[in-house]
Amino acid sequence: YDGGDCVEFNKKGYSTDCKPYDTTTLGDGKCDNNVYQNTPECLYDGGDCEDFNEKYPGCETWNPDSLGNGVCDLWAEANTLECLYDGGDCVEFNKKGYSTDCKPYDTTTLGDGKCDNNVYQNTPECLYDGG
């Protein structure tokens, strides 16, 4: 048991199969949605991910805090049905006909009348910078 270093960890009921990068992030109030912590063995990140898992079953975003924050975050892998299209933030973006593979840094620059000729926006997925 790591020379006694894991006594407190073991008292909290985590399985010995719970292998987070850092045990201090378990139960710290922030859902760490990764394959090491949001698991039954780690008690769903020490309970931090229970609400997230209930609200967004199957959502694999690495940034749960970005869901439903008012910003369509295309880089957090959250614009999916399982993540309810970034907690609703990307619904309007998706209604415009952009592919889920369209990932501009700023969705407000699509179709703004200025050609953003870059590898993220001037693409078929982004309707050539919004048309």
Side-chain angles (χ1 to χ4, degrees):
Y1 294 110
D2 196 20
D5 292 341
C6 294
V7 170
E8 290 303 313
F9 174 83
N10 293 334
K11 283 182 183 178
K12 293 179 181 176
Y14 300 115
S15 163
T16 54
D17 292 328
C18 175
K19 308 287 185 201
Y21 290 120
D22 179 356
T23 59
T24 64
T25 62
L26 294 169
D28 65 353
K30 178 183 181 295
C31 174
D32 295 293
N33 187 35
N34 61 58
V35 297
Y36 302 103
Q37 290 179 225
N38 190 7
T39 64
E41 295 80 14
C42 290
L43 304 177
Y44 303 104
D45 193 27
D48 294 339
C49 293
E50 288 176 355
D51 290 340
F52 169 78
N53 292 339
E54 185 177 313
K55 190 170 184 178
Y56 304 105
C59 177
E60 296 183 9
T61 184
W62 49 267
N63 187 7
D65 293 336
S66 74
L67 300 177
N69 68 353
V71 177
C72 178
D73 185 356
L74 301 170
W75 291 94
E77 304 303 323
N79 189 17
T80 64
L81 176 61
E82 295 81 8
C83 296
L84 301 179
Y85 304 106
D86 195 22
D89 295 338
C90 292
V91 171
E92 291 302 314
F93 174 82
N94 294 336
K95 283 182 183 178
K96 294 177 182 174
Y98 300 115
S99 163
T100 54
D101 291 326
C102 173
K103 297 186 189 289
Y105 286 117
D106 181 356
T107 59
T108 64
T109 62
L110 290 170
D112 64 356
K114 177 184 173 252
C115 175
D116 294 292
N117 187 26
N118 60 56
V119 297
Y120 301 106
Q121 289 179 230
N122 192 10
T123 64
E125 295 83 8
C126 290
L127 304 177
Y128 302 102
D129 194 25

